[in-house]
Amino acid sequence: MLILQNISYKHENSDVLFDNISFTVNNHEKIALIGHNGVGKSTLLKIIAGELKPSNGELKVSSEPYYIPQIFGQYNHFTIGEALRVHHKIDALGAILKGNVTEENLSVLNDDWTIEERCNNALKYWELHDLDLTQKIETLSGGQKTKVFLAGISIHEPEIVLLDEPSNHLDKAARELLYNFIVSANCSLVVVSHDRKLLHLLKTVCEMSKRGITTYGGNYDFYAEQKQIENNALNQDLQNKEKALRKAREKERETTERQQKLDARGKKKQEKSGVARIMMNTLRNNAENSSSKLKSIHVEKVDGISKELRDLRSALPDIDQMKFGFDHSALHKGKILFKANAINHAYKDLIKNIGTNLALL
């Protein structure tokens, strides 16, 4: 079981990425964690996995989660066995089978006599037939790296599995294996993915946004349907509130103009009737106080509607913008990460040529 209570995370520059994130993953529950790019889904998985510490909040896990990240370059200098954290047991088993039955080797193996068989079967399931556990991760393709870490699920049999874009580097055949695994898995799953077919296989969708996490009790189709209903209702509320604001402002303007006319008309009558100056000042002050009070009532109403409108607009879906992240650029040494040619940016009537042939190596 996994419980997050009021989890917050700040970057080193003190910018808050997300705040007060709370949700629960029950035993055997399979959850799709979705949201716009940059909202913090991958960071949240790292916090659950124990790779990052939250700025605030409490995290409770029934057992250590098995985490598969998007990027594997940090494991390039590891062997497959080291990356899968089985090398010590494999070495101990090999030593024991050769006759070196020491207390240390037996302690490391911890009665896990099927470790080598489970490794071979797991790699075979993911069609990694010709790999050796002593082979370096850097010799593998992106798809092979993903499948190696997916194989680790069958090897370790964890209760909680965290998957960050697991289908990114997989070909069609490997994706089908992944889909079959998702359906048959008996563990708790939290999956971040843009793969619609994969998302449809998960029974619960949790949408992460700047306002927190909203849980939808159904797969992605159910989520999309409910989200459309919510957005339609929100847009209708926005239109109604904008209309109410226009009417309130118009009413405020009309009332102010009418009061000004009444005040001016009353002043002329008083001057014609020869009302004493001191009395005129009193009447004028009373009129000004009355106008001010009336204006205050309308201003308060306009401000109230404006605040409600701002709250509604803040509930609008975040705009999905193109974003680039180079935090792990060192893991892709020698590769072109980004290249741009003659980019132009227009703002009103101003067009600027930002740069040409920009490449990061």
Side-chain angles (χ1 to χ4, degrees), residues 15 40 50 61 91 112 144 155 210 232 253 268 270 273-274 297:
D15 289 339
V61 290
D91 291 343
D112 194 358
Q144 287 177 318
I155 295 169
K210 59 187 177 184
N232 290 342
R253 183 185 63 78
K268 286 182 181 180
Q270 292 161 11
S273 61
I297 292 173

Side-chain angles (χ1 to χ4, degrees), residues 154-253:
S154 299
I155 295 169
H156 294 288
E157 300 178 343
E159 294 180 5
I160 303 170
V161 175
L162 313 173
L163 303 176
D164 196 353
E165 301 290 357
S167 60
N168 266 7
H169 303 288
L170 302 181
D171 58 21
K172 184 177 180 180
R175 287 190 179 205
E176 290 300 323
L177 291 174
L178 175 62
Y179 302 149
N180 292 336
F181 163 76
I182 294 293
V183 171
S184 61
N186 194 38
C187 56
S188 299
L189 289 173
V190 180
V191 184
V192 171
S193 179
H194 290 86
D195 184 338
R196 293 291 178 86
K197 187 172 181 178
L198 190 159
L199 292 174
H200 289 153
L201 302 175
L202 302 164
K203 301 304 181 183
T204 302
V205 173
C206 292
E207 183 187 41
M208 187 173 179
S209 69
K210 59 187 177 184
R211 294 171 297 280
I213 286 183
T214 304
T215 300
Y216 296 82
N219 67 5
Y220 191 83
D221 283 337
F222 176 82
Y223 157 78
E225 181 180 342
Q226 294 300 309
K227 195 67 179 176
Q228 187 61 53
I229 293 172
E230 289 177 13
N231 289 339
N232 290 342
L234 178 58
N235 288 328
Q236 186 61 53
D237 288 345
L238 275 170
Q239 291 176 17
N240 293 340
K241 197 61 65 177
E242 287 169 349
K243 185 177 180 179
L245 182 60
R246 287 194 299 270
K247 285 186 175 181
R249 284 173 173 168
E250 182 65 20
K251 184 69 174 178
E252 178 188 19
R253 183 185 63 78

Side-chain angles (χ1 to χ4, degrees), residues 119-138:
C119 289
N120 292 333
N121 289 338
L123 293 174
K124 189 181 297 182
Y125 172 85
W126 293 101
E127 298 181 346
L128 299 171
H129 303 290
D130 300 324
L131 297 188
D132 187 280
L133 292 176
T134 61
Q135 188 172 339
K136 290 283 189 179
I137 291 290
E138 64 186 355

Side-chain angles (χ1 to χ4, degrees), residues 47-104:
I47 289 174
I48 297 172
E51 293 197 358
L52 290 176
K53 290 185 177 180
S55 304
N56 291 297
E58 186 176 3
L59 172 67
K60 298 178 182 178
V61 290
S62 58
S63 63
E64 182 182 359
Y66 183 87
Y67 169 57
I68 301 181
Q70 286 190 58
I71 300 169
F72 304 102
Q74 64 270 37
Y75 299 102
N76 278 344
H77 62 289
F78 286 27
T79 65
I80 293 175
E82 289 170 340
L84 290 175
R85 294 175 296 169
V86 297
H87 58 294
H88 292 307
K89 285 188 175 182
I90 293 294
D91 291 343
L93 177 61
I96 291 170
L97 293 177
K98 290 179 181 178
N100 189 13
V101 187
T102 64
E103 189 68 31
E104 181 181 356

